Amino acid sequence: MKSAATTTIQGELSIGVEAIFPFLFQELQQSTKASQQNCRAVAMRIAAEVYRICHESKRIQASGSVENSAMALAKHRLQQCLRYYQLGSNRGRVELHSTLSAIIYRYINPPQRQLSYQGRLTVIEDFLQSFYLEALNAFRRENQLEASYRPQTLLELAEYMAFTERYGKRRIPLPGRQQQLIILRAQTFSQQQPPETCVDIEQAAEGSGNEADGSWEDPAVQQLRTAMATQPEPEAQEETLRSVVIAELMNYLEERQQNDCADYFALRLQDLSAQEIETILGLTPRQRDYLQQRFKYHLIRFALLHRWELVHEWLEADLHTNLGLTPQQWQVYTEQLDEKQRCLLELKQQGQPDERIAKTLGLSMAQLQKRWFKILEQAWEIRNSLVSGSTASTNE
């Protein structure tokens, strides 16, 4: 029996892109360790989607280069899938979760509630769990798969994660504008959140509620007791650090009333082009360039001064690893520092508090911060010169 994807492919051969499926099949076999059957099924689904989009898109049909558009789209879909495949199951989930969290962070704001940073992350976590299920159902529906289908292999999981990212970023036409699907879902989810409920922690823990007033049977109390009684699994450090850095940077920008920089940052996290960002924010190229420079200024201040320890821990470039420099680079780097800078660096590596370091070096706190900023900036420049060379990863 032929699959629905096969039927779709054979029905669309008239658009002249029949070479796409063999190309995808061959690339998946060469780039993954998946079985031949698994590669064939995934290649079928990607090819069927490409054929459908090219057939339904008036822009592509009117372009006069349907074959080129179809092949470019197929390669893009393939690279998305392979990227998640290469990340693996755990890191792929972290990357997807962080990407989607960054998009919706500013839109998760339940009415009449002033959420803390940690509270907002909790709501985001709840929302994304339901969104992943919605994406899975959409994946089944659009690929005409059985209702019981679930990704079983690493390649199938990578295919689903790539689809989920695209699904969340789909643009939904609204009166006078377009909005990403996941943002609309997040806004609806926020509005449906119940008001905050005050619960006495000690009362919930000890079970001393007044049964007469019904407080013990309150669902919030029951939920809190269940959570307190359950031993949570330790959260993967890699999964939290990137999300924490993104959320902290968003808070940093909003606290300084740099909301336009926060909007720009959210769009940059979605890998949008400069032209797309200009269209969404209603900016001219010159205005967008100015905004980009202003964001860069705040980003550097955040990374090298405000939360330098958090950022360097995430980059695996903290003081315990010589700021991410190789032994040869570290030697050259420290030789470039003056005596006071080297002493400051040594005291930082010893874990001395800033107040004691400032007193030891005879500096004010402002002078200390300024010198430390310069020290980190020099190391940052050396690391950037390393990763921007010929050996830099294409996925930086």
Side-chain angles (χ1 to χ4, degrees):
M1 179 181 294
K2 296 179 181 179
S3 68
T6 304
T7 304
T8 303
I9 290 172
Q10 292 179 343
E12 298 297 342
L13 287 180
S14 58
I15 67 174
V17 287
E18 59 271 15
I20 288 180
F21 168 71
F23 163 75
L24 292 170
F25 181 48
Q26 182 179 4
E27 288 294 316
L28 288 173
Q29 282 194 301
Q30 292 176 351
S31 304
T32 72
K33 297 179 181 179
S35 67
Q36 184 179 35
Q37 181 181 1
N38 201 189
C39 290
R40 181 181 297 278
V42 173
M44 281 282 193
R45 288 193 286 268
I46 296 176
E49 182 187 17
V50 170
Y51 290 142
R52 177 178 56 80
I53 292 173
C54 290
H55 179 69
E56 295 177 356
S57 172
K58 295 179 180 179
R59 179 184 61 81
I60 293 177
Q61 290 293 324
S63 67
S65 57
V66 175
E67 293 182 17
N68 292 337
S69 297
M71 184 56 75
L73 180 59
K75 289 180 179 179
H76 181 255
R77 291 287 193 265
L78 174 66
Q79 289 305 314
Q80 285 182 313
C81 181
L82 290 179
R83 175 171 168 268
Y84 278 108
Y85 181 88
Q86 290 160 4
L87 285 172
S89 174
N90 292 331
R91 291 188 61 195
R93 287 187 177 96
V94 170
E95 182 70 18
L96 176 63
H97 198 79
S98 299
T99 298
L100 298 182
S101 297
I103 294 174
I104 64 173
Y105 179 81
R106 301 194 69 217
Y107 301 92
I108 291 290
N109 191 23
Q112 301 177 344
R113 292 175 66 181
Q114 293 296 324
L115 289 179
S116 64
Y117 144 73
Q118 189 59 50
R120 190 172 295 195
L121 287 187
T122 301
V123 178
I124 288 175
E125 184 76 26
D126 291 341
F127 163 73
L128 285 179
Q129 293 307 314
S130 62
F131 184 78
Y132 292 143
L133 180 58
E134 177 186 339
L136 179 59
N137 288 329
F139 181 78
R140 293 166 177 161
R141 182 175 62 252
E142 295 184 14
N143 289 284
Q144 300 180 35
L145 297 168
E146 296 179 356
S148 60
Y149 170 83
R150 298 181 67 85
Q152 299 293 330
T153 67
L154 178 57
L155 179 57
E156 290 175 346
L157 181 61
E159 178 192 21
Y160 161 70
M161 289 193 289
F163 173 86
T164 301
E165 181 179 341
R166 293 195 305 271
Y167 181 71
K169 293 179 179 180
R170 284 183 182 177
R171 298 202 170 275
I172 307 301
L174 298 173
R177 64 188 177 95
Q178 289 188 336
Q179 185 61 281
Q180 290 180 309
L181 184 146
I182 193 171
I183 291 177
L184 295 176
R185 295 287 192 270
Q187 290 173 327
T188 302
F189 182 84
S190 288
Q191 293 167 2
Q192 293 174 344
Q193 293 302 295
E196 288 182 326
T197 302
C198 295
V199 177
D200 187 319
I201 297 293
E202 294 183 1
Q203 174 182 310
E206 296 173 2
S208 56
N210 186 349
E211 295 183 5
D213 63 12
S215 62
W216 181 244
E217 298 178 355
D218 189 296
V221 176
Q222 296 295 340
Q223 183 179 4
L224 179 59
R225 281 185 57 79
T226 301
M228 295 170 70
T230 303
Q231 183 66 32
E233 296 182 4
E235 210 169 2
Q237 185 177 23
E238 182 184 9
E239 184 172 356
T240 61
L241 274 179
R242 184 173 187 268
S243 297
V244 169
V245 170
I246 290 172
E248 289 270 344
L249 178 53
M250 282 291 192
N251 279 340
Y252 174 85
L253 294 171
E254 291 174 352
E255 286 171 1
R256 284 154 182 78
Q257 298 182 344
Q258 298 294 323
N259 292 326
D260 51 350
C261 287
D263 290 336
Y264 175 78
F265 177 46
L267 296 175
R268 282 293 304 271
L269 288 169
Q270 300 171 44
D271 296 324
L272 297 180
S273 66
Q275 186 176 6
E276 289 175 313
I277 292 176
E278 290 164 10
T279 301
I280 294 171
L281 297 181
L283 303 174
T284 65
R286 184 174 181 179
Q287 289 172 326
R288 192 265 312 155
D289 184 63
Y290 172 70
L291 177 59
Q292 177 179 325
Q293 295 303 318
R294 186 150 51 89
F295 168 71
K296 182 179 179 181
Y297 166 80
H298 287 289
L299 176 63
I300 292 173
R301 299 284 297 180
F302 174 81
L304 300 184
L305 190 61
H306 181 70
R307 291 304 308 270
W308 71 267
E309 291 175 297
L310 172 65
V311 173
H312 283 72
E313 181 184 2
W314 172 52
L315 295 175
E316 297 182 354
D318 53 19
L319 289 171
H320 299 296
T321 60
N322 289 340
L323 299 178
L325 302 177
T326 65
Q328 295 82 359
Q329 290 174 328
W330 180 255
Q331 182 177 354
V332 174
Y333 167 66
T334 52
E335 289 174 354
Q336 294 175 348
L337 302 177
D338 60 37
E339 183 177 350
K340 219 162 197 177
Q341 286 177 321
R342 281 196 292 271
C343 185
L344 170 56
L345 181 59
E346 290 173 2
L347 291 172
K348 282 279 192 179
Q349 288 185 308
Q350 293 171 14
Q352 298 287 341
D354 285 352
E355 292 78 6
R356 184 177 300 175
I357 294 175
K359 185 175 181 180
T360 301
L361 300 179
L363 300 171
S364 67
M365 290 301 293
Q367 290 172 326
L368 176 67
Q369 288 186 346
K370 186 175 180 180
R371 285 176 178 269
W372 184 239
F373 181 93
K374 188 64 178 177
I375 289 173
L376 292 178
E377 187 177 38
Q378 289 176 259
W380 190 283
E381 290 173 356
I382 293 175
R383 286 198 308 275
N384 284 347
S385 66
L386 172 66
V387 300
S388 62
S390 58
T391 60
S393 167
T394 57
N395 291 324
E396 273 188 83

